[in-house]
C-alpha cells in the first residue's frame, strides 16, 4: 500500500542532490506529501533536520495514501524534484541584476548612515543624561510603536505566535534587552570608538558559546583569527584615553548577551517546528524588550524623564526630545534594514558588511567628537578589526565531508 510522509516544510540551504520524489501540496491543510519513486523505501527525512538532502530525520506522521486522498478535497501543484547538485562552495545568494545590485548598495549605505547617527545622537544624550535604562526603554518604545503602525497598515503581516514560541522568544528578548542596555551603559562612560572596538570581540564569544552549547568546534583557522581580535582589543584598551572599567565591562557584557541571544536563537528556534522569519522575530523581540525594560527602568533609575531632570543637561527640552526621537528612529531603522539585507545576501557577506560598518562607525565618531587617538590605540583598533574581517572570511570555508 503506498503511503505518504507528512510534515511541515521549512527550507534550508543544502548541498548535494535531494532525493528524487513527487511532491503533492495540499490546498486544504497546506502540507506536503512525499511519494518515493521507483519502488524505493520511504525516506525517513525531515525537511528541517535533513535539509532535503537525504539525511535521517523525524517524520511527523505517516498515513495510507487513500486515507490522505479521502481527507483532502483535491490535490494540486504536482512537482518533480530533480537531482541537480548544488556546489558546496556556492553562496546563499541568488544571481542579481543591476537594479537588485543598486537596491542592495542603497540598503547597505542606509544601514551605515542609520548606525552612524544612532551612535552620535545616543552619545550626545548619554553624555548629559546618564540614565541608560531610561534611554533604552524609550528606544524600545519607539520601535514598538513603529511595529504596531506597520502591522495596522499591513506593511508587514502580523505574525501568529503560539504559547511554546512565546516562551522561547522570551529568552531571546531578555538577552536582546540586556545587550542594548549594556551598550548604552558603555556609550555613556567611554568614547563611541572604544565601545565599538571592544564590541569587535563578538566573534570570540560566538565561537566560545557555539562550542559550549551547540557542539560546533571551530577549525584551527577560526581560532587563529581570534588572536588578532583579542590582541588588538587589549592594545586599544591599554592606550585608550577615555578608558573606564565600567564602560569596558559594559561593552564586554553586551558582547556576551548579544552572542548568547544568537546562539539561543539558533538552538531554540531549531527545536521549534513553527519558525518565524527574521523580521517577525525581531518585531516580537522588540515589543517584549519594551515591556521588560519599563519595570527594570523604574526599579533602577525611577521616573527621570521630567523637565526637572532635563534642565541641568544644558539642552532645551525640545532639543532633548528631538534627539531622543532621532536616536529611537535610527535604532529601529538600522536593525530593520540589517534584517532586510540579511534576507538578500549570504551570512558571510552580511558578516563582512557588518565588519566594514564597525570601521565606518569608529572613524566617523572619532571625526565628529574629535576623540584623541594615539598611534598605538589606532594600531590596536586596526589589528582587532582586521581579525574580525579575517574571521568573517574564514567562516566561508567549510570542512569537506568525509
Amino acid at each position: 500500500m503506498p503511503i505518504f510522509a507528512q510534515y511541515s516544510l521549512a527550507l534550508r540551504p543544502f548541498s548535494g542532490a535531494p532525493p528524487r520524489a513527487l511532491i503533492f501540496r495540499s490546498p486544504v491543510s497546506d502540507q506536503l506529501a512525499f511519494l518515493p519513486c521507483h519502488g524505493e523505501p520511504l525516506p525517513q527525512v525531515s525537511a528541517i533536520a535533513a535539509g532535503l538532502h537525504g539525511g535521517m530525520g523525524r517524520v511527523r506522521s505517516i498515513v495510507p495514501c487513500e486515507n490522505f486522498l479521502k481527507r483532502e478535497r483535491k490535490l494540486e501543484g504536482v512537482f518533480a524534484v530533480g537531482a541537480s547538485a548544488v556546489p558546496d562552495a556556492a553562496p546563499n545568494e541568488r544571481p542579481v541584476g543591476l537594479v537588485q545590485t543598486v537596491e542592495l548598495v542603497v540598503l547597505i549605505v542606509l544601514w551605515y548612515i542609520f548606525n552612524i547617527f544612532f551612535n552620535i545622537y545616543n552619545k550626545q544624550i548619554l553624555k548629559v543624561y546618564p540614565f541608560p535604562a531610561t534611554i533604552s526603554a524609550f528606544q524600545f518604545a519607539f520601535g514598538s510603536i513603529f511595529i504596531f503602525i506597520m502591522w495596522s497598515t499591513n506593511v508587514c503581516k502580523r505574525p501568529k505566535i503560539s504559547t511554546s514560541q512565546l516562551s522561547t522568544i522570551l529568552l531571546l528578548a531578555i538577552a536582546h534587552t540586556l545587550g542594548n542596555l549594556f551598550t548604552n551603559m558603555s556609550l555613556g562612560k567611554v568614547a563611541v570608538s572604544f565601545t565599538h572596538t571592544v564590541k569587535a570581540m563578538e566573534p570570540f564569544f560566538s565561537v566560545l558559546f557555539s562550542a559550549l552549547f551547540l557542539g560546533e568546534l571551530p577549525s584551527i583557522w577560526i581560532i587563529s583569527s581570534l588572536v588578532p581580535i583579542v590582541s588588538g582589543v587589549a592594545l586599544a584598551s591599554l592606550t585608550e584615553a577615555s578608558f573606564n572599567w565600567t564602560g569596558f565591562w559594559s561593552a564586554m557584557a553586551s558582547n556576551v548577551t548579544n552572542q548568547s541571544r544568537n546562539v539561543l536563537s539558533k538552538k531554540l528556534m531549531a527545536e521549534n517546528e513553527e519558525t518565524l522569519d527574521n523580521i517577525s522575530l525581531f518585531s516580537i523581540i522588540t515589543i517584549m524588550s519594551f515591556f521588560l525594560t519599563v519595570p527594570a527602568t523604574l526599579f533602577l533609575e525611577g521616573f527621570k524623564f521630567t523637565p526637572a531632570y532635563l534642565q541641568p543637561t544644558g539642552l532645551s527640552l525640545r532639543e532633548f526630545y528631538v534627539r531622543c526621537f532621532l536616536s529611537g528612529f535610527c535604532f529601529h531603522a538600522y536593525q530593520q534594514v540589517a534584517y532586510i539585507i540579511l534576507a538578500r545576501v549570504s551570512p558571510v557577506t552580511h558578516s563582512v558588511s557588518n565588519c566594514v560598518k564597525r570601521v565606518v562607525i569608529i572613524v566617523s565618531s572619532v571625526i565628529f567628537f574629535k576623540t584623541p587617538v594615539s598611534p598605538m590605540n589606532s594600531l590596536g583598533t586596526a589589528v582587532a578589526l582586521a581579525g574580525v574581517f579575517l574571521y568573517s572570511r574564514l567562516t566561508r570555508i567549510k570542512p569537506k565531508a568525509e
Side-chain angles (χ1 to χ4, degrees), residues 1-6 22-29 31-35 62-78:
M1 178 186 299
I3 53 177
F4 286 105
Q6 300 178 59
L22 293 178
I23 303 180
F24 295 88
R25 182 183 181 90
S26 165
V28 179
S29 60
Q31 291 181 317
L32 298 180
F34 278 53
L35 180 64
I62 299 178
V63 297
C65 173
E66 53 268 29
N67 291 347
F68 180 81
L69 296 175
K70 289 178 182 178
R71 190 178 63 189
E72 307 296 339
R73 288 176 291 183
K74 63 179 180 177
L75 293 173
E76 64 180 12
V78 181

Side-chain angles (χ1 to χ4, degrees), residues 211-223:
L212 291 177
F213 301 110
L214 300 179
E216 298 178 357
L217 298 180
S219 66
I220 186 64
W221 301 109
I222 294 294
I223 295 176

Side-chain angles (χ1 to χ4, degrees), residues 149-197:
I149 292 175
M150 291 194 301
W151 285 350
S152 61
T153 56
N154 291 324
V155 174
C156 291
K157 186 178 180 180
R158 181 180 300 179
K160 295 181 180 180
I161 309 298
S162 64
T163 305
S164 60
Q165 284 179 315
L166 280 177
S167 59
T168 298
I169 299 174
L170 178 60
L171 296 176
L172 304 181
I174 293 173
H176 182 68
T177 302
L178 291 175
N180 185 66
L181 176 60
F182 286 131
T183 297
N184 284 339
M185 289 174 62
S186 180
L187 287 173
K189 295 294 184 180
V190 297
V192 174
S193 56
F194 181 62
T195 295
H196 283 275
T197 299

